[in-house]
Amino acid sequence: MASQADQARALSFDAVATQYAAVRPGYPPALFDALEELAGRSLTGADVLDCGAGTGIATRLLRERGAHVVALEPGAGMASQLRRAEPAVPLVRGEGSQLPFASGSFDVITYAQAWHWTDPGRSVPEALRVLRPHGVLALWWNQADSRVDWVKAEDDRLAPFTRGYPTTVAELFTSFPVRVTTREITWSRRITVEEHIGNLGTHSHFVVMDPEERAELLGANRAVLARLFADGELDEPYRCGLTVVRPADARE
């Protein structure tokens, strides 16, 4: 899954780290409620490794749930933003294919918007090694909810230039000795059209695009949305897919 091209795209976020921190969406409380339910434990007091932590969006929310979080991030620009936002969080530079931690170190390992940058053949065994016996690996993604008409129309406009990711990825774990459960949470946030355009601009397919082409494409999309949302604000709807993985021999 994580080719050299994908790795380059993953690190491309460093170029837009400040913008990423400002406009990327967070995650709803219902996501963490579901994670606790499927993990069979509270996040309060849990030792959590947040892999691909980026600018610390999920890191902060996990801390607010009472978790003891260590952040793992490969990109210098993203890590710099994380240090600025969450100076008290231990931050380690690295990635999921070779976790620089002792076996049995964490109760929960999380990947928020980041698992698709890994090679499961390496990152799954590493996660299972670093988890405690009753620990879980949790992966989640916010995906724009294309069941909403304006989002579907935007997806159609941008489709030749973008790529999506599945909200849940249970099928990736069939060759590993694990049990997988999934959940989907729908939610939305109220933001401005400009913030929405800024959010789109932090996605890797736009970050690596020729600057003139990117400006033209996002500018045309902005014009459509400005006509549609005359007051300059919109509800940005999401389907947040959660995949929770535990060793097959772990007790409930």
Side-chain angles (χ1 to χ4, degrees):
M1 179 181 281
S3 66
Q4 288 186 344
D6 277 342
Q7 291 171 351
R9 287 169 70 100
L11 292 175
S12 72
F13 294 115
D14 283 337
V16 293
T18 301
Q19 181 178 342
Y20 192 110
V23 298
R24 275 291 182 110
Y27 305 98
L31 169 69
F32 300 99
D33 294 341
L35 172 54
E36 290 180 326
E37 177 190 341
L38 297 179
R41 63 156 299 150
S42 172
L43 286 167
T44 300
D47 291 318
V48 177
L49 173 62
D50 187 22
C51 293
T55 62
I57 295 172
T59 305
R60 173 179 58 82
L61 295 171
L62 288 162
R63 286 192 71 210
E64 290 176 356
R65 296 291 291 223
H68 305 303
V69 186
V70 174
L72 183 76
E73 168 56 38
M78 300 290 268
S80 177
Q81 288 294 320
L82 193 154
R83 286 193 181 96
R84 184 175 294 110
E86 298 293 329
V89 172
L91 172 61
V92 178
R93 297 288 302 282
E95 47 88 29
S97 295
Q98 190 173 1
L99 295 174
F101 303 100
S103 299
S105 295
F106 294 98
D107 301 303
V108 181
I109 296 176
T110 62
Y111 282 81
Q113 306 292 128
W115 181 256
H116 51 278
W117 301 119
T118 75
D119 172 3
R122 299 173 64 192
S123 53
V124 173
E126 276 292 89
L128 296 178
R129 178 184 66 81
V130 170
L131 281 172
R132 290 172 181 152
H134 302 293
V136 298
L137 168 65
L139 329 170
W140 64 83
W141 286 265
N142 278 321
Q143 288 280 65
D145 192 343
S146 59
R147 295 171 300 186
V148 176
D149 288 345
W150 75 263
V151 176
K152 176 63 166 62
E154 180 179 74
D155 283 352
D156 290 344
R157 285 193 300 275
L158 302 179
F161 310 94
T162 64
R163 66 176 183 177
Y165 301 101
T167 52
T168 59
V169 289
E171 69 280 0
L172 295 180
F173 295 91
T174 55
S175 62
F176 299 100
V178 297
R179 287 179 286 129
V180 181
T181 50
T182 64
R183 188 71 54 82
E184 182 178 279
I185 298 95
T186 58
W187 71 288
S188 66
R189 62 173 183 164
R190 186 75 175 174
I191 60 172
T192 68
V193 169
E194 283 304 314
E195 287 169 333
H196 175 72
I197 296 297
N199 175 24
L200 290 177
T202 66
H203 288 254
S204 63
H205 35 259
F206 290 116
V207 176
V208 300
M209 190 179 288
D210 174 79
E212 290 186 6
E213 183 181 11
R214 178 175 62 240
E216 181 178 355
L217 187 64
L218 293 179
N221 192 56
R222 178 189 289 108
V224 174
L225 296 180
R227 291 192 296 270
L228 189 60
F229 301 104
D231 64 354
E233 293 189 345
L234 53 81
D235 289 312
E236 194 176 64
Y238 287 101
R239 302 170 73 172
C240 187
L242 170 66
T243 301
V244 174
V245 181
R246 68 175 71 244
D249 57 358
R251 296 179 181 177
E252 295 290 347

